[in-house]
Amino acid sequence: MVYLLRRLRVAMRVFRPLRCERLAATFVLCQMAICLTMAVPSSAQVVHYRHNSEMPPGAIGTWQLQRGGPLPGYFQPATISAPDGCAVSLATAGTFDDLQVHSRRAAFLIGQVYRLKVTQIPLHEGVEVFPTIEIIDRIYPPAGREFEFPIQIRITSDDLRQAMQGRLVTRVIYVEDPRSALPAAERPNQQYAFDVRKGDDPLQVADTLGRPVAILRLGARVPGPQGATARFLFGCPVWMVIPEGRPTKRAANAEDSRKVHQ
Amino acid sequence: MKFREYRTKQGLTWSTWWRWTMVAAGAIVLCSCRTSARPIAPSTSSGDIPLANTVANDLSIPTNGSLPPTAWSGQYPPGCRQWTPPGISQPWPKDEYICDGGDHGRPIRIDSDWTVRGIQMEDTIAHFDTLDGRTLVKPSNKVCIYAPRFGSVRSVLGADGFEGKESLVRHDIPTRIATEEEMLLANTTLQQTQTDRAVGSKRIAAQQLNAPGLQIANDLGLIEAHGGEKPYENLLSLQDGMYEQAELAELAMRTEAAAIWTIDKGVQVILDGTAAKIATGDARAQATYAIDHESKPNLRMIKVASTDVAQPGQIIEFTLQFENIGNEPIGNVTIIDNLTTRLEYVPDSETSSLAADFITTRNEGDSLILRWEITDPVSPGEGSTIHFKCRVR
């Protein structure tokens, strides 16, 4: 033992004069440690999701905006469709518009929460459901063709029935990964949807199947006796009307103030 | 110098080479380290297979009018692109595009019995046999079509449970034991059946065999043969191909006019499309010409689509055009297109300008592997155009 300590002390003396060699050796050892750390397989990492579907409306979109990139200020086109016979209204200027159509096409800001009103539900006339939609990501179609590929947000009859019974329905819309997409052919006005198992987070399940882009929430919450307040409407953020017919090459930005509703 | 003496005195001469060995080993380890998240550059591993940009440029060359002018080669023209993050390979984002073509992952190889190994979905390749017995594989370019598809998952939260308590209730009803007996008498039933079939036999009445007689007649006419050498061709080198010293003088006299020819105006010899070089002799009648034949089999395949964007349910027409750009014929040319999951082949929609056997096989993505086996060898400069349609799922 005494011999080993003596040898170590002598070795330290030997290294002391060679400062450049010592620095080089230290640098090499540090680089080797970094390489070994990077060589750990990715499968050993545990995925930690920062978001879950139970976060308050608007929280996920706000986090997404903080990532940077082309998200802030972009109006993402979307189509909101309800069962035939229903009327879908969008909040504008502190109230709901009165368009009596079951499908709406509009462009929404990412990160904002938009309140809707669904009325004239078949077999439940007189009942009103107030869903919310939140765009949490965008898609990137070729320039000038943004309006041809809106995000498809579909409200089913079962969604409305569950909401009218007091339950909270959370539907996460995602872009399917083509390599793992279902091979079945899609028909018009059809979207593949399924329920997650009890206890599973739909946002995490959607993240395994593709890229989540929007969240639809339906519940039994209704405005108070004083009507729809600004808090109930989440500040009534602006949205933009999608022009009908063949879209032009104009990008979906908020340049045209005449078609922006606030 | 003092340090060396000190080190020698302490018996530590091994430390220098040991340290430098450690530094060298560390440097080797550093040089061999790679990061796993390196940006993917456009693949150029396919040798002379053109890149997508090159393919777009190649479309401007004459293609016999077989490709539509609006054919989509997979790349946007400059100035017509959407925002993309720097350093990321195109197209982006990949989950919004349906891609088909190229050779992904491990390179495809062909076994001796033409079994294809390593083909994956979205792959489009052609393999062919060369004159020297090799089997080569050439992938096509990659075509990406913008066709996003949306799905949704749902969760429903609410009070679904119900818990209740009920008291026990006892219910007692006495019953009497009852016995029931049933006596059945034995009986016999006879059924009379009549004969419903008669079997008979007949002899052969007559058998006649008529065989017409054959008459063979073969008349051959006289054939008049013309031939023979002209009087001025009475040379052994022209008759038997053998040169004799005695005829050299006469040959030199007859080729005297050719001796004044220059090299440019002289006889130009072309063998198999290649300019031959003189191997032996001079500008004389018995000069021998030869060519250096180098085997360069090659094939180029271009894939284009009829559109660059598509909605679910829309039909896209694909065009596969291949051409033998080598210097020798190639055989057993086989075109294979492994369709991706979201492309559904439209039955009976394929056409080929060359005769080919068309075979389809189900792949792991519940789509099809399209296979064209060209029946005839393809000569240099020759090619074919294949059209087929797919429906976007």
Side-chain angles (χ1 to χ4, degrees):
Chain A
M1 189 66 184
V2 174
Y3 174 75
L4 290 177
L5 291 175
R6 182 170 173 272
R7 298 286 294 184
L8 179 62
R9 184 170 58 86
V10 173
M12 292 300 293
R13 286 181 183 174
V14 169
F15 272 95
R16 191 175 300 158
L18 298 178
R19 182 169 296 174
C20 59
E21 292 183 7
R22 190 170 56 184
L23 290 176
T26 305
F27 175 75
V28 169
L29 290 176
C30 292
Q31 293 296 319
M32 290 174 65
I34 293 173
C35 289
L36 290 175
T37 305
M38 296 177 66
V40 174
S42 59
S43 59
Q45 298 177 357
V46 178
V47 176
H48 174 68
Y49 290 95
R50 301 177 66 184
H51 306 145
N52 61 74
S53 62
E54 297 180 358
M55 296 174 73
I60 300 174
T62 304
W63 276 100
Q64 291 286 91
L65 290 178
Q66 293 180 1
R67 295 189 317 172
L71 299 181
Y74 182 77
F75 280 81
Q76 172 59 50
T79 298
I80 306 165
S81 58
D84 291 339
C86 294
V88 179
S89 302
L90 288 169
T92 173
T95 182
F96 291 98
D97 57 10
D98 54 354
L99 283 179
Q100 301 296 319
V101 293
H102 72 282
S103 179
R104 299 293 297 268
R105 299 176 72 234
F108 303 98
L109 283 171
I110 299 172
Q112 300 292 333
V113 181
Y114 294 88
R115 178 73 74 177
L116 311 174
K117 184 174 75 171
V118 181
T119 56
Q120 302 178 12
I121 303 171
L123 303 179
H124 297 86
E125 284 78 6
V127 179
E128 295 178 338
V129 177
F130 296 88
T132 63
I133 59 172
E134 178 185 3
I135 308 295
I136 59 175
D137 204 349
R138 59 167 290 187
I139 60 175
Y140 300 84
R145 314 190 75 158
E146 292 85 358
F147 298 136
E148 297 182 38
F149 298 93
I151 294 176
Q152 307 288 335
I153 301 175
R154 304 191 188 282
I155 303 173
T156 64
S157 301
D158 189 65
D159 291 343
L160 297 172
R161 185 176 59 83
Q162 299 281 1
M164 286 185 289
Q165 292 178 356
R167 298 187 180 93
L168 172 63
V169 177
T170 304
R171 184 180 289 276
V172 179
I173 296 94
Y174 61 93
V175 181
E176 274 188 308
D177 188 355
R179 293 178 180 269
S180 59
L182 293 174
E186 185 177 3
R187 292 172 299 183
N189 300 323
Q190 180 193 12
Q191 186 180 79
Y192 294 106
F194 59 91
D195 293 350
V196 297
R197 294 181 302 178
K198 205 165 189 177
D200 285 351
D201 189 353
L203 190 64
Q204 296 180 7
V205 174
D207 193 52
T208 60
L209 300 172
R211 180 162 51 95
V213 291
I215 301 175
L216 170 70
R217 297 180 177 91
L218 295 91
R221 181 171 296 179
V222 295
Q226 68 276 17
T229 61
R231 183 177 180 183
F232 183 78
L233 299 178
F234 293 94
C236 200
V238 296
W239 50 275
M240 191 173 68
V241 175
I242 293 181
E244 298 294 336
R246 183 170 178 79
T248 61
K249 287 190 175 182
R250 184 175 52 192
N253 50 27
E255 294 295 331
D256 194 350
S257 60
R258 293 174 302 176
K259 296 184 179 179
V260 175
H261 292 245
Q262 186 170 12
Chain B
M1 196 64 185
K2 289 182 178 179
F3 170 69
R4 283 191 178 180
E5 293 175 357
Y6 171 78
R7 193 175 52 184
T8 306
K9 190 181 298 181
Q10 295 295 330
L12 298 176
T13 54
W14 53 271
S15 58
T16 301
W17 62 264
W18 182 82
R19 286 199 303 268
W20 283 112
T21 303
M22 287 298 295
V23 171
I28 292 173
V29 171
L30 283 176
C31 294
S32 62
C33 285
R34 297 184 205 172
T35 60
S36 57
R38 190 170 51 185
I40 302 173
S43 175
T44 57
S45 60
S46 55
D48 48 359
I49 291 301
L51 297 176
N53 288 328
T54 312
V55 172
N57 295 329
D58 288 345
L59 293 179
S60 61
I61 64 177
T63 55
N64 299 326
S66 56
L67 294 179
T70 58
W72 171 244
S73 63
Q75 290 293 314
Y76 288 101
C80 192
R81 291 181 180 177
Q82 184 58 267
W83 181 90
T84 56
I88 303 297
S89 63
Q90 300 298 323
W92 182 88
K94 296 187 182 299
D95 54 4
E96 300 177 17
Y97 286 85
I98 301 174
C99 294
D100 200 28
D103 182 8
H104 311 92
R106 292 182 300 174
I108 296 174
R109 60 182 177 86
I110 310 298
D111 291 346
S112 58
D113 58 349
W114 291 289
T115 302
V116 182
R117 304 286 184 186
I119 189 167
Q120 302 174 357
M121 284 197 299
E122 302 181 4
D123 286 352
T124 301
I125 58 111
H127 67 83
F128 56 93
D129 293 347
T130 62
L131 292 180
D132 53 359
R134 293 178 296 160
T135 301
L136 302 181
V137 178
K138 294 292 179 182
S140 72
N141 60 302
K142 185 177 180 180
V143 178
C144 291
I145 299 165
Y146 187 81
R149 194 173 75 172
F150 300 96
S152 65
V153 293
R154 188 184 73 160
S155 71
V156 180
L157 300 177
D160 291 330
F162 175 75
E163 186 177 0
K165 293 182 179 178
E166 296 179 351
S167 59
L168 294 176
V169 176
R170 181 172 180 176
H171 186 67
D172 190 7
I173 301 178
T175 56
R176 182 187 298 173
I177 297 175
T179 303
E180 182 180 0
E181 292 184 356
E182 184 178 2
M183 303 299 291
L184 299 177
L185 296 176
N187 54 6
T188 301
T189 302
L190 295 178
Q191 183 177 3
Q192 302 292 337
T193 58
Q194 60 181 2
T195 304
D196 57 356
R197 188 178 61 171
V199 179
S201 61
K202 291 183 178 180
R203 295 187 302 173
I204 298 175
Q207 183 175 6
Q208 184 176 358
L209 179 62
N210 295 326
L214 298 177
Q215 182 178 2
I216 300 175
N218 190 7
D219 296 331
L220 295 176
L222 293 176
I223 298 174
E224 182 181 2
H226 296 275
E229 287 78 17
K230 300 294 190 308
Y232 58 86
E233 295 176 348
N234 188 19
L235 294 173
L236 192 59
S237 59
L238 296 179
Q239 295 174 1
D240 298 336
M242 299 174 60
Y243 290 96
E244 287 191 351
Q245 293 293 331
E247 296 179 351
L248 289 180
E250 189 173 355
L251 281 173
M253 182 181 66
R254 297 188 182 185
T255 58
E256 185 178 5
I260 64 174
W261 293 350
T262 61
I263 297 300
D264 295 337
K265 296 178 181 178
V267 177
Q268 302 296 322
V269 181
I270 296 176
L271 298 178
D272 293 338
T274 304
K277 299 176 182 178
I278 187 167
T280 61
D282 201 348
R284 294 180 297 179
Q286 67 273 21
T288 303
Y289 287 83
I291 59 172
D292 294 330
H293 184 74
E294 186 179 1
S295 176
K296 292 181 180 177
N298 204 347
L299 182 141
R300 179 181 62 188
M301 186 165 61
I302 299 173
K303 183 172 189 176
V304 295
S306 59
T307 181
D308 58 342
V309 296
Q311 298 280 0
Q314 186 175 342
I315 291 180
I316 304 174
E317 183 171 1
F318 288 96
T319 300
L320 282 169
Q321 188 181 59
F322 68 91
E323 181 182 3
N324 183 1
I325 57 174
N327 60 355
E328 66 179 31
I330 56 176
N332 294 330
V333 179
T334 303
I335 314 296
I336 300 175
D337 192 346
N338 194 353
L339 296 178
T340 184
T341 302
R342 288 192 54 199
L343 288 180
E344 179 186 14
Y345 171 71
V346 178
D348 302 328
S349 65
E350 64 86 21
T351 59
S352 176
S353 60
L354 286 182
D357 296 331
F358 179 63
I359 304 167
T360 60
T361 312
R362 184 70 60 181
N363 63 8
E364 67 271 20
D366 203 14
S367 189
L368 291 179
I369 300 176
L370 311 181
R371 184 185 181 97
W372 291 269
E373 296 179 354
I374 308 299
T375 55
D376 298 328
V378 181
S379 303
E382 190 182 1
S384 175
T385 302
I386 295 172
H387 299 278
F388 65 95
K389 295 179 181 178
C390 290
R391 180 180 290 106
V392 178
R393 287 170 167 171

